[in-house]
Amino acid sequence: VLSLFTPMFLQVEKWFKTPWETSAFRAFLSFTMLQAWFPKEAVIWNQPAWFFSALTFSNFTMPALLPRLARLSRSGARKLFGAMTLFSVVQKLSYSEVSRFHSQQVAVNNTQTPLLWNLSRFHPFWALLEMTMGIVSAREVMLDSDEDARISRASPLVYFIAAYSSLLLRLTRFDFNDAIIRSCLFVPLYTKFLKSLHRECLSAQPSAITRLLSAKPMTRLGSMTFSMFILHGPLGQLFYKKAVAHRLWGRTMPPIFFPVYLALVLLLSHLMTERLVKSKAVIFSAGQVAQWLADRTEGMLQDK
């Protein structure tokens, strides 16, 4: 995808009279997935790909982290999750106060601290923190006993609604930004939803939301999410980035065009998933890498 859209990215930089040295540096960062380490360049070219840059770093730390996380008790897993949540909240609050970035008063002092937001959102360290929170939560549910399975728990739907309802706080007088809401409420609640969903998948009588999410149309959409994540950014630039859309269509596309854009993303994501992600060559190559990693991490999440 990056190779396919590189001509568009380079053309935009040419229109903005970007020095070729800068363009070459950005190309290097994009193709080597190092952009998340450079706050000023974190969202260059295909913006969502910053996460793969951060994720690559996080994966490199797993051989050192997993053996230690695998020794956690249930109580230890809960305490570590709480501590990491608190650490994340403090960092988001610190950023928000330093640059006065809130929901209604956006980036009042942005000119004084132009890179703090990128450091808060895109730095690999924070991705590692949230990824570790997910692993710790997985460790907790791995320790469920047969007695735990018989305990009556709230439906996953409760946590699902609560997590997404927390986003409505951006509309209130409390003036919270998305970073504060995400770290304080959304991530903990959505993690509870995922743990509850996992437990229900193992039960004899899953609730309606569990059956819905396991239905064939939903699993088909789930298989396309990687392709959608990769493609929606460059395709969006074709229709909504002023520098590109004004030259191609004479304007950025109006809101009424959005369903067409969404359908195009779904169609191309389907083709990418079926023709590339699921191709035998890609599956074989991924299998070889997975086997190499498995040989070097065997037993790290087992209780021995």
Side-chain angles (χ1 to χ4, degrees), residues 8 11-13 15-16 47 233-254:
M8 179 184 73
Q11 184 61 55
V12 171
E13 300 213 339
W15 287 333
F16 282 100
Q47 290 93 336
L235 288 175
Q237 292 187 40
L238 284 174
F239 302 112
Y240 297 106
K241 188 180 181 73
K242 289 182 179 180
V244 179
H246 279 216
R247 284 173 170 81
L248 291 178
W249 323 111
R251 58 171 181 169
T252 56
M253 292 295 103

Side-chain angles (χ1 to χ4, degrees), residues 5-302:
F5 284 95
T6 289
M8 179 184 73
F9 300 141
L10 290 175
Q11 184 61 55
V12 171
E13 300 213 339
K14 182 180 178 181
W15 287 333
F16 282 100
K17 302 185 186 307
T18 304
W20 70 266
E21 296 92 340
T22 302
S23 297
F25 179 62
R26 290 175 175 173
F28 170 76
L29 294 180
S30 296
F31 279 96
T32 57
M33 292 193 296
L34 293 173
Q35 65 268 41
W37 290 100
F38 297 82
K40 188 178 178 181
E41 310 291 352
V43 288
I44 54 173
W45 293 14
N46 187 4
Q47 290 93 336
W50 75 266
F51 181 71
F52 293 114
S53 173
L55 184 64
T56 300
F57 160 73
S58 299
N59 285 332
F60 274 123
T61 69
M62 289 301 108
L65 279 178
L66 288 179
R68 291 163 177 80
L69 298 178
R71 292 195 291 266
L72 289 172
S73 65
R74 172 174 292 182
S75 174
R78 289 174 176 170
K79 290 176 181 176
L80 181 56
F81 184 90
M84 289 189 293
T85 298
L86 180 61
F87 190 64
S88 178
V89 169
V90 169
Q91 188 269 337
K92 304 302 190 300
L93 286 172
S94 299
Y95 163 75
S96 300
E97 286 305 303
V98 167
S99 58
R100 304 303 303 167
F101 179 78
H102 297 279
S103 183
Q104 298 171 23
Q105 302 173 6
V106 176
V108 175
N109 294 334
N110 189 52
T111 55
Q112 299 177 20
T113 55
L115 300 182
L116 277 179
W117 184 224
N118 280 3
L119 279 170
S120 296
R121 291 190 298 173
F122 306 129
H123 197 279
F125 178 79
W126 303 113
L128 174 61
L129 181 72
E130 294 190 351
M131 185 173 174
T132 305
M133 290 168 68
I135 296 170
V136 168
S137 298
R139 172 63 180 168
E140 181 186 342
V141 296
M142 285 174 62
L143 297 174
D144 280 355
S145 63
D146 293 337
E147 183 179 343
D148 294 320
R150 290 191 290 270
I151 297 175
S152 178
R153 302 177 187 272
S155 167
L157 184 61
V158 173
Y159 299 117
F160 182 84
I161 293 174
Y164 282 97
S165 295
S166 69
L167 301 179
L168 297 176
L169 286 172
R170 293 192 65 182
L171 305 178
T172 68
R173 63 183 179 86
F174 294 109
D175 199 21
F176 296 139
N177 62 34
D178 64 312
I180 294 175
I181 294 170
R182 186 174 68 247
S183 58
C184 287
L185 295 172
F186 184 85
V187 170
L189 286 170
Y190 200 77
T191 301
K192 292 281 287 184
F193 162 68
L194 293 176
K195 291 191 294 185
S196 180
L197 198 66
H198 167 80
R199 292 183 173 112
E200 281 222 345
C201 287
L202 302 177
S203 69
Q205 296 180 323
S207 63
I209 187 172
T210 305
R211 296 195 302 271
L212 172 65
L213 293 176
S214 62
K216 189 173 181 179
M218 299 300 290
T219 57
R220 173 62 65 88
L221 281 174
S223 70
M224 293 165 50
T225 52
F226 173 79
S227 301
M228 293 170 65
F229 184 78
I230 289 293
L231 286 170
H232 83 275
L235 288 175
Q237 292 187 40
L238 284 174
F239 302 112
Y240 297 106
K241 188 180 181 73
K242 289 182 179 180
V244 179
H246 279 216
R247 284 173 170 81
L248 291 178
W249 323 111
R251 58 171 181 169
T252 56
M253 292 295 103
I256 196 173
F257 180 79
F258 185 76
V260 178
Y261 161 68
L262 183 60
L264 186 60
V265 170
L266 288 171
L267 174 62
L268 294 180
S269 297
H270 169 73
L271 293 175
M272 179 178 172
T273 300
E274 297 297 323
R275 302 297 176 87
L276 178 63
V277 177
K278 292 184 179 180
S279 73
K280 292 182 179 180
V282 171
I283 291 174
F284 176 78
S285 299
Q288 293 290 99
V289 174
Q291 185 60 55
W292 183 87
L293 292 172
D295 292 340
R296 286 153 182 79
T297 58
E298 183 178 2
M300 285 187 175
L301 282 179
Q302 295 180 7

